[in-house]
Amino acid sequence: MSGRPPAYDYVKDPGEIYRRSFSIVRGEAALAHLPAALHSAAVRIVHACGDPSVTRHLAWSEGVEQAVANALRAGAPVFTDVRMVAEGIIASRLPAGNEIRCTLNEPGVRDLAAKLGTTRSAAAAELWRDGLDGAVVVIGNAPTALFHLLEMIGAGGPRPAAILGFPVGFVGAAESKEALAENPFAIPFLALRGRLGGSAIAAAALNALAAGLPEEEIA
């Protein structure tokens, strides 16, 4: 390659990037149908996936944002189905130094999955039992983990304070989130109906419910 290296005109200031991004999201995404307390979560979800239309597919129970906030302030742990969700959660913004736990790669999970005849993700949810009561669960990948969690609760298992359900994919993802939305346990939830979801969206939702959108205030 000869000559001058390419020079691109783009925004470099992180504060300006965030401000512009969230301004664009608020201008393009449908938010009016959502409770005001969920606007920050919706904005972060759109920011995470780049698609303003996803807000039309959100499903929630009344007071889910308060349930998450109360649980986190009380020191509740956060359980995730995959490391990508755990890594996406901004730990410094959790109000009580809350533990973030992903049990997917713990010893014995593979053998437990074989014993139960299910996926590792579902088997890993079995290891949440001791700390699940009053916890916040954030699922961003595995429909089987969400289904198994609901089955555990239905069988009399511990009840988390709230479930954020964002499994992604073509087999079971939409169905698992419908099961969450229709759960008879009165457990507060936030979910994205259909096939869309993923770890980035799940982590974004928890980050917003934990700390709002402080990036919009960057000077």
Side-chain angles (χ1 to χ4, degrees), residues 152-178:
M152 287 168 54
I153 297 167
R159 294 167 54 93
I163 302 171
L164 308 185
F166 296 92
V168 60
F170 297 92
V171 179
E175 293 84 354
S176 68
K177 289 176 284 188
E178 286 302 319

Side-chain angles (χ1 to χ4, degrees), residues 38-87:
L38 288 181
H39 282 196
S40 62
V43 168
R44 266 203 180 274
I45 287 168
V46 172
H47 184 251
C49 69
D51 182 0
S53 72
V54 299
T55 61
R56 301 184 184 278
H57 304 293
L58 285 172
W60 67 92
S61 60
E62 184 177 355
V64 61
E65 72 290 336
Q66 196 60 56
V68 172
N70 290 346
L72 293 177
R73 282 198 295 266
V78 178
F79 287 96
T80 72
D81 61 325
V82 291
R83 285 300 312 167
M84 289 179 67
V85 176
E87 293 297 329

Side-chain angles (χ1 to χ4, degrees), residues 108-118 123:
V109 168
R110 191 176 298 276
D111 290 340
L112 181 58
K115 178 180 178 181
L116 297 176
T118 188

